[in-house]
Amino acid sequence: MARGLTNCNPGNIRRSNVRYQGEVQPSRDPEFKQFRSLAWGYRAIFVLLDTYRQRHGLRTVAEMISRWAPPAENHTQAYIRSVVQRTGIAADRPIDTRDRTTMIPLAAAISRVENGVDADLHEVEKGWELFEN
């Protein structure tokens, strides 16, 4: 099983001082956060992408993925192309991080790139419900 799924962290969010609801502390993984369930892990993706928009002014898939998966660690352009292909959202189109119909496919696409398998949409939707509440 992919590390992100084992950690219930489908976005492979790295360890940091930021704390998320549903996070396992301390993480047993030396590099990545762990969550109590996949739904909490998907919620963290939604929170982080919303933070990118609100605090950092990142508005497009290309801007967000460039921060999420920087070129120093990833093939960022291939990541962006994969997300664009899976979501149908143009790389340079501004997105609303509070829109369910945009964000569920976006989180699922990120999970697919990070873990190499399709996301369980039921878990992504549960993560969105946790994010909304």
Side-chain angles (χ1 to χ4, degrees):
M1 183 182 300
R3 186 178 194 175
L5 300 178
T6 299
N7 288 336
C8 293
N9 179 358
N12 280 323
I13 297 169
R14 291 201 175 273
R15 289 177 69 163
S16 69
N17 291 330
V18 175
R19 297 292 170 244
Y20 295 90
Q21 290 181 21
E23 185 177 341
V24 173
Q25 291 187 17
S27 175
R28 294 176 306 280
D29 187 302
E31 295 181 49
F32 296 97
K33 291 184 175 286
Q34 292 181 305
F35 294 94
R36 292 193 314 245
S37 70
L38 279 172
W40 285 111
Y42 282 112
R43 179 194 178 275
I45 292 173
F46 297 128
V47 168
L48 189 51
L49 292 173
D50 192 52
T51 299
Y52 285 178
R53 184 179 61 83
Q54 293 199 37
R55 282 202 193 137
H56 304 288
L58 305 178
R59 303 270 183 241
T60 68
V61 168
E63 291 170 341
M64 289 182 182
I65 297 302
S66 292
R67 183 172 176 117
W68 189 281
E73 301 174 9
N74 301 274
H75 191 309
T76 305
Q77 291 306 312
Y79 200 129
I80 292 167
R81 280 192 303 274
S82 180
V83 169
V84 165
Q85 180 182 13
R86 291 186 170 283
T87 63
I89 301 168
D92 60 350
R93 188 186 108 208
I95 60 171
D96 179 358
T97 55
R98 298 295 176 114
D99 177 56
R100 175 189 186 99
T101 60
T102 299
M103 296 308 293
I104 287 176
L106 183 56
I110 288 170
S111 178
R112 176 68 171 94
V113 173
E114 293 289 339
N115 300 292
V117 295
D118 288 341
D120 178 337
L121 286 180
H122 180 68
E123 292 295 330
V124 182
E125 290 168 352
K126 285 174 27 181
W128 181 260
E129 290 166 13
L130 290 168
F131 173 68
E132 281 187 314
N133 295 323

